[in-house]
Amino acid sequence: MTFEEIKEKVRQYAEKYAARKGYILNPNLEELDLVYEGLAKRREQYGAQYCPCRIVLGDKQEDRKIICPCVYHEEEIERDGMCHCALFFKPE
Ligand code: SF4
């Protein structure tokens, strides 16, 4: 799979997930694209879409928590209006 194809998969995942949860995606398309790039790079490197804004420790059990959507995002979106990477936002 080419990098562009991986990125497309990431994009589809994010759109579907946001729709299902009632979130919106980062309205700044440049920032959004950077998060897609980051997730796609991780998917390419590790075979799992680890959060691009967090450190992969190399401990499968721990690292599972940061596979997007990470275990932290709901609380972050509720509290800060967006997840740590600014991928998912709370609708106004
Ligand atoms: S912070 Fe956002 S982009 Fe990063 S893993 Fe969590 S939900 Fe995904």
Side-chain angles (χ1 to χ4, degrees), residues 35 51-52 54 66 68-70 73 76 83-85 87-88:
V35 186
C51 183
R54 301 180 206 269
I66 62 159
C68 191
C70 62
H73 75 290
E76 289 169 346
C83 73
H84 186 51
C85 291
L87 173 59
F88 300 118

Side-chain angles (χ1 to χ4, degrees), residues 2-91:
T2 67
F3 184 73
E4 280 310 311
E5 286 167 339
I6 298 174
K7 199 169 146 188
E8 179 57 24
K9 289 225 174 264
V10 167
R11 196 180 63 77
Q12 286 172 8
Y13 143 74
E15 283 178 358
K16 237 188 241 166
Y17 186 75
R20 180 151 66 80
K21 298 280 287 199
Y23 297 146
I24 56 167
L25 295 167
N26 190 330
N28 179 320
L29 296 182
E30 261 174 52
E31 284 178 19
L32 181 61
D33 195 64
L34 279 178
V35 186
Y36 287 163
E37 290 262 328
L39 282 166
K41 277 185 194 151
R42 293 222 143 162
R43 207 156 147 157
E44 188 178 49
Q45 186 179 355
Y46 297 101
Q49 52 184 23
Y50 292 117
C51 183
C53 315
R54 301 180 206 269
I55 295 166
V56 180
L57 299 169
D59 174 337
K60 276 236 150 71
Q61 196 87 337
E62 271 303 301
D63 289 338
R64 195 173 307 148
K65 295 180 187 164
I66 62 159
I67 293 176
C68 191
C70 62
V71 298
Y72 311 106
H73 75 290
E74 287 175 340
E75 198 186 321
E76 289 169 346
I77 292 166
E78 200 42 52
R79 187 188 59 220
D80 308 325
M82 65 177 108
C83 73
H84 186 51
C85 291
L87 173 59
F88 300 118
F89 280 58
K90 195 173 172 175

